[in-house]
């Protein structure tokens, strides 16, 4: 069982910056075995992958955020971050933290967990 809690969302001006955090709990030592990702969902649109980071630190990004967003993880704090710069109105969405069990033989292998989301609004 993994609980994911996002924070850091809010209202920001176009061109501004924001850092989202996702704190995982419920697993004392399992965070490092999880592939982590950020998704977002704008009103009336489907949820889309924004950024992902593997257990080994390999990252990938949606083309729409490449060069502006950066995902990072701090395993000692069971936390994954999404640093967002040069924000645009089209970045407005609820951002969700996602975790997937990666290590074969672990309890969470093949499991997927979601946070409740944090709202990012980019507007003047």
């Amino acid at each position: 069982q993994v609980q994911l809690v996002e924070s850091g969302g809010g209202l920001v001006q176009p061109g501004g910056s924001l850092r989202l955090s996702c704190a995982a709990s419920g697993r004392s030592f399992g965070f490092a075995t999880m592939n982590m990702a950020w998704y977002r969902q704008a009103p009336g649109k489907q949820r889309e992958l924004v950024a992902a980071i593997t257990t080994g630190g390999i990252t990938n990004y949606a083309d729409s955020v490449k060069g502006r967003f950066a995902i990072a993880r701090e395993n000692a704090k069971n936390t994954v971050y999404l640093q967002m710069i040069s924000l645009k109105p089209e970045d407005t969405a609820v951002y969700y933290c996602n975790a997937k069990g990666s290590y074969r033989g672990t309890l969470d292998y093949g499991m997927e967990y979601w946070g409740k989301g944090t709202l990012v609004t980019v507007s003047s």
Side-chain angles (χ1 to χ4, degrees), residues 55-96:
T55 58
I58 305 300
T59 60
N60 68 89
Y61 300 91
D63 288 341
S64 60
V65 308
K66 201 168 295 182
R68 299 189 298 117
F69 291 10
I71 188 171
R73 65 192 298 159
E74 192 166 358
N75 289 345
K77 294 185 177 180
N78 292 345
T79 301
V80 63
Y81 306 95
L82 185 67
Q83 180 66 56
M84 305 181 292
I85 66 170
S86 302
L87 283 162
K88 305 174 180 179
E90 52 262 46
D91 294 319
T92 296
V94 176
Y95 285 71
Y96 297 91

Side-chain angles (χ1 to χ4, degrees), residues 31-121:
F31 181 82
T33 72
M34 311 291 286
N35 290 328
M36 304 298 299
W38 287 94
Y39 289 73
R40 69 185 181 187
Q41 187 168 22
K45 296 185 177 181
Q46 65 183 13
R47 189 173 299 186
E48 64 174 342
L49 177 67
V50 176
I53 184 166
T54 70
T55 58
I58 305 300
T59 60
N60 68 89
Y61 300 91
D63 288 341
S64 60
V65 308
K66 201 168 295 182
R68 299 189 298 117
F69 291 10
I71 188 171
R73 65 192 298 159
E74 192 166 358
N75 289 345
K77 294 185 177 180
N78 292 345
T79 301
V80 63
Y81 306 95
L82 185 67
Q83 180 66 56
M84 305 181 292
I85 66 170
S86 302
L87 283 162
K88 305 174 180 179
E90 52 262 46
D91 294 319
T92 296
V94 176
Y95 285 71
Y96 297 91
C97 184
N98 171 266
K100 295 180 181 178
S102 177
Y103 285 16
R104 294 180 179 88
T106 64
L107 183 64
D108 291 320
Y109 182 69
M111 301 295 293
E112 189 169 26
Y113 304 94
W114 293 91
K116 294 182 296 183
T118 185
L119 177 63
V120 173
T121 302

